[in-house]
Amino acid sequence: MRIDVVTIFPDYLAPLDEALVGRARRAGLLDVRVHDLRGWASGVHKAVDDAPYGGGPGMLMTAPVWGAALDDVTSSGDGVPRLLVPTPAGAPLTQRRVAGWAGEPWLVVACGRYEGIDARVLEDAATRMPVEEVSLGDYVLAGGEVAALVVVEAVSRLVPGVLGNPESAELDSFAEGTGGLLEAPAYTRPETWRGRAVPDVLRGGNHAVVDRWRRDRSLERTAAVRPDLLDALVARHGAAAFD
Ligand SMILES: O=C(OCc1ccccc1)c1cn[nH]c1
């Protein structure tokens, strides 16, 4: 899979050289390319922003610069990429969307800064490729770079071969393996730590009992922390959601 990231702060994406994503890049499983948007800005100041029409605070990133950058980046590979744009105004990021993107051959992530990007950029891009605006949550960051790190990491770990043990992705919270519930509490050695013992059921060898115990803890935790997820499960499976 290829992932391109366009940003005015390329060094903000340095963490993609580290750990899981870094290893996958070096193993040739991921082709991640970071581009400095200013490479497509002209003039001595290489301006990428300007004041918003209609007034309002702050500055906007201009269409000519983003248009030129996206033209080059999205025509530099095989086929047509899916363009992802982190923004508070986007649709919520979910594991389901991440899983869909992990099946794509090529993603491009556009990192906004200031108050965002001139609306015509995404309108224009959408005439040539799929474009999705994505929100990490109902808060505002200073720019899209941190969100890009989240999206790249979430997608990368689902790319075949990237995770050492593919089963761990199946048992993530929100994944199908846990039936869309939150993960149960987990334990490792030592068996007792500061007077707290690992639950007996986990130290026995009975896998059916362990699975039941984990499911019950997942249901309890989901009911306590994310009743919305539980409601969705019940809506989908009825009482079987508690099996
Ligand atoms: O702040 C965010 O994106 C960066 C961004 C993009 C455009 C203008 C300002 C900031 C964000 C918040 N939740 N999800 C994404």
Side-chain angles (χ1 to χ4, degrees), residues 67-135:
L70 291 177
D71 285 353
D72 284 357
V73 171
T74 62
S75 59
S76 64
D78 299 333
V80 171
R82 178 172 295 267
L83 177 62
L84 305 180
V85 187
T87 167
L93 179 65
T94 62
Q95 190 65 14
R96 181 182 296 274
R97 290 178 78 188
V98 166
W101 299 335
E104 301 263 353
W106 185 14
L107 301 174
V108 175
V109 184
C111 298
R113 276 270 157 175
Y114 308 101
E115 301 309 310
I117 302 171
D118 184 307
R120 291 168 291 181
V121 172
L122 299 194
E123 285 170 26
D124 170 64
T127 65
R128 288 185 301 283
M129 70 197 84
V131 178
E132 290 189 63
E133 295 182 276
V134 56
S135 167

Side-chain angles (χ1 to χ4, degrees), residues 6-8 36-43 45-53 58-71 83 85 110-125:
V6 185
T7 168
I8 57 170
D36 185 342
L37 179 70
R38 289 198 193 279
W40 287 275
S42 49
H45 298 296
K46 295 210 173 290
V48 298
D49 63 311
D50 201 339
Y53 278 108
M59 305 289 273
L60 274 179
M61 301 183 105
T62 65
V65 175
W66 268 108
L70 291 177
D71 285 353
L83 177 62
V85 187
C111 298
R113 276 270 157 175
Y114 308 101
E115 301 309 310
I117 302 171
D118 184 307
R120 291 168 291 181
V121 172
L122 299 194
E123 285 170 26
D124 170 64

